[in-house]
Amino acid sequence: MEQDLRYPVGKFRSAASISAKDREDWLLEIEVLPSRLRAAVSGLTDAQLDTPYRDGGWTIRQVVHHFADSHLNSYTRFRLALTENNPTIKPYAEALWADLADARTAPIDLSLQLLDGLHRRWVLLIRSFSETDFSKTFRHPERGEMRLDQNLALYAWHCRHHLAHINGLRERNGW
């Protein structure tokens, strides 16, 4: 059976129930993403960074910059849900963002540095949560109401998902 290069770790599935252990595991994935991402892109040339992870997919460079774009948006959504009553968030056109000049051409170190600080702040924020904070919500115009613990699960998956794009390409190409 051929691997689906678009979803190398499978599509995201919401958990029916979420435990404190699940949340801690997901938070750890977010905490270690910057170091895992640095390891995944270590030693790659510009030509390799500009290689799509699959036909019609983003380049590794675009994936790295997408991590920064996406995780900045998620961090903001966490903060909005903590400070407002079920706010409606603004989605963004991630494919169009990935096609902007900075996402296609900027050095990846810009986003790697951004992710270092962002993830430290994000983890610090989540570690401060009370049990009820995890059940706070925001409304996504396309996905509906999302609890913060569900969003934590989604972004832990997001880390695995895009790391698998990069690591899978490296493995297939012998890099």
Side-chain angles (χ1 to χ4, degrees), residues 6-7 53 58 62-63 65-67 69-71 73 77 91-100 103 140 142-143 154-155 157-158 161-162 165:
R6 188 165 179 209
Y7 294 100
Y53 72 88
W58 292 337
Q62 286 172 301
V63 170
H65 293 311
H66 167 71
F67 265 122
D69 293 340
S70 179
H71 291 200
N73 274 282
R77 292 168 185 177
Y92 71 103
E94 64 181 37
L96 296 176
W97 283 37
D99 200 37
L100 292 172
H140 191 292
E142 297 156 0
R143 294 180 183 212
L154 174 63
Y155 275 82
W157 171 86
H158 190 257
H161 171 68
H162 286 304
H165 286 151

Side-chain angles (χ1 to χ4, degrees), residues 8-171:
V9 299
K11 291 185 178 183
F12 175 72
R13 294 185 196 345
S14 291
S17 65
I18 297 173
S19 69
K21 170 83 167 84
D22 293 329
R23 292 191 306 253
E24 184 56 37
D25 290 347
W26 297 329
L27 184 56
L28 181 61
E29 289 189 66
I30 288 173
E31 186 171 31
V32 300
L33 179 273
S35 63
R36 287 185 176 163
L37 181 56
R38 282 184 185 281
V41 298
S42 178
L44 293 178
T45 65
D46 278 334
Q48 291 167 327
L49 290 171
D50 293 328
T51 303
Y53 72 88
R54 65 175 176 86
D55 286 340
W58 292 337
T59 66
I60 292 176
R61 183 183 311 275
Q62 286 172 301
V63 170
V64 171
H65 293 311
H66 167 71
F67 265 122
D69 293 340
S70 179
H71 291 200
L72 273 169
N73 274 282
S74 184
Y75 172 73
T76 300
R77 292 168 185 177
F78 270 79
R79 295 181 69 81
L80 288 169
L82 290 168
T83 59
E84 300 177 21
N85 183 22
N86 195 31
T88 299
I89 58 94
K90 183 175 185 334
Y92 71 103
E94 64 181 37
L96 296 176
W97 283 37
D99 200 37
L100 292 172
D102 64 328
R104 286 184 290 101
T105 65
I108 61 170
D109 201 47
L110 297 173
S111 285
L112 294 173
Q113 288 176 23
L114 189 153
L115 287 163
D116 286 337
L118 174 64
H119 278 241
R120 283 196 301 270
R121 284 276 310 269
W122 199 5
V123 168
L124 182 67
L125 176 68
I126 295 170
R127 288 207 190 282
S128 76
F129 280 16
S130 67
E131 190 66 29
T132 58
D133 287 336
F134 285 103
S135 64
K136 291 188 177 183
T137 60
F138 61 82
R139 177 159 298 285
H140 191 292
E142 297 156 0
R143 294 180 183 212
E145 187 173 280
M146 291 194 68
R147 289 190 334 255
L148 290 183
D149 57 1
Q150 294 168 323
N151 203 47
L152 180 62
L154 174 63
Y155 275 82
W157 171 86
H158 190 257
C159 293
R160 292 189 308 275
H161 171 68
H162 286 304
L163 282 172
H165 286 151
I166 296 167
N167 289 324
L169 177 62
R170 288 191 78 147
E171 186 177 314

